[in-house]
Amino acid sequence: MCSSDLAVRRLLRESREAERSQRKGGGGGGAAAAGSGQGDGGSSATGGKLDSVILTEKQKIDGLCIACAYVRPACLEQLLPDLDSDAINRPGENEGYALWRACSGTNSRWQFSLDIERNDMIRYLLMCKADPEIRGGTNNVTALSAAAQQGRCEAVRELLLAKADASVGADDGTTALHLASNGGHVEVVRELLRLDNVAVNARSEEHTSEL
C-alpha cells in the first residue's frame, strides 16, 4: 500500500476519533460543524492534515466515497473542495458513488446521530453538484430510492429539491415509493405522494403495485 493510500485511511480514522471526542465533550455533530477547529501542532481538530503527502484525484474520489459509506463528515469536508462536479459524480474503486453511498448506508436503529450526519453530508454533496439521479447497487437503484428504502425523509426532501425524479425505477421497475411502502416508512410515503409524477399503481418484478 502506497503512502498516499495510507494517508487517506489515516485521515478517515483520525476524523472519526476526533468526532467521537467532540461528541463526548458536548460538541455538535454534523458536516458543517465537523470541519472547524485547530488542534495542537496545527492539525485540524477533526481529522488532522495530510502533511506533505499529495493525493491523486482518484485517491480523493475513493476517500470521498469511503467517507460517505462510513459517515465521516469531517473527511468529506476536507476532500470535497478539491473535487469538481465531474469528479464527485465518478465512482470510487470499491465504494460506488459518493451520494448513493450516503443515501443507502444502514445504521443501527439507536444511531440517530448518524442519520443527522448523513443528511448533512447529502445536503453538502448536492450543493457541490452531486447528481441527484445517480444510481448504484446490483439493481441500479436511484439515490432517491435508496434513501426512501432506509426511511430517510429529510434526505428524500433534499433529493426532491435537487430535482430527483421519483418516477424513475431500478432495473426491475422498483421505485422509491415501492421501497418506502415496503419498509413501512409512512413519512417518506406521504412525501412522495405529494408529487404529481408518482405512479401509485406502477408494478415491478417484486412488487405488484406501490401501495
Side-chain angles (χ1 to χ4, degrees):
M1 185 178 294
C2 70
S3 60
S4 37
D5 289 330
L6 287 171
V8 170
R9 288 176 179 270
R10 191 193 72 205
L11 179 63
L12 293 168
R13 184 183 68 251
E14 289 181 356
S15 73
R16 194 54 177 169
E17 289 171 354
E19 286 158 15
R20 284 173 181 163
S21 298
Q22 188 181 34
R23 279 197 290 268
K24 286 180 181 179
S36 61
Q38 295 293 320
D40 295 337
S43 295
S44 167
T46 52
K49 290 182 177 179
L50 289 176
D51 301 325
S52 59
V53 177
I54 304 300
L55 300 180
T56 65
E57 184 176 71
K58 180 182 180 301
Q59 288 163 338
K60 291 175 183 177
I61 293 170
D62 289 344
L64 180 66
C65 293
I66 293 170
C68 290
Y70 297 101
V71 197
R72 306 293 193 266
C75 288
L76 177 133
E77 285 208 336
Q78 292 193 47
L79 293 167
L80 262 183
D82 294 332
L83 298 171
D84 60 21
S85 59
D86 179 64
I88 291 168
N89 291 306
R90 290 209 299 268
E93 185 172 351
N94 298 312
E95 300 295 340
Y97 296 92
L99 179 62
W100 191 86
R101 288 311 303 258
C103 292
S104 65
T106 57
N107 302 332
S108 299
R109 58 184 176 181
W110 57 83
Q111 292 177 308
F112 299 112
S113 64
L114 287 185
D115 259 344
I116 294 172
E117 291 176 340
R118 281 188 191 278
N119 291 337
D120 287 343
M121 293 172 75
I122 290 165
R123 188 177 299 111
Y124 192 10
L125 284 163
L126 290 169
M127 286 173 56
C128 293
K129 307 302 182 184
D131 182 4
E133 301 285 354
I134 209 77
R135 294 168 174 257
T138 56
N139 196 25
N140 260 340
V141 174
T142 64
L144 179 65
S145 292
Q149 185 175 29
Q150 299 300 329
R152 297 194 169 103
C153 194
E154 188 60 35
V156 167
R157 290 191 187 105
E158 292 292 338
L159 288 159
L160 292 175
L161 285 172
K163 308 301 182 185
D165 189 348
S167 67
V168 175
D171 287 348
D172 66 353
T174 300
T175 66
L177 188 55
H178 278 131
L179 295 170
S181 301
N182 191 55
H185 304 304
V186 177
E187 287 187 34
V188 176
V189 170
R190 286 174 178 161
E191 195 69 30
L192 293 170
L193 287 176
R194 292 192 180 102
L195 304 173
D196 295 330
N197 64 338
V198 171
V200 176
N201 295 314
R203 296 172 181 268
S204 72
E205 292 177 10
E206 292 188 13
H207 305 82
T208 55
S209 66
E210 292 180 318
L211 295 178

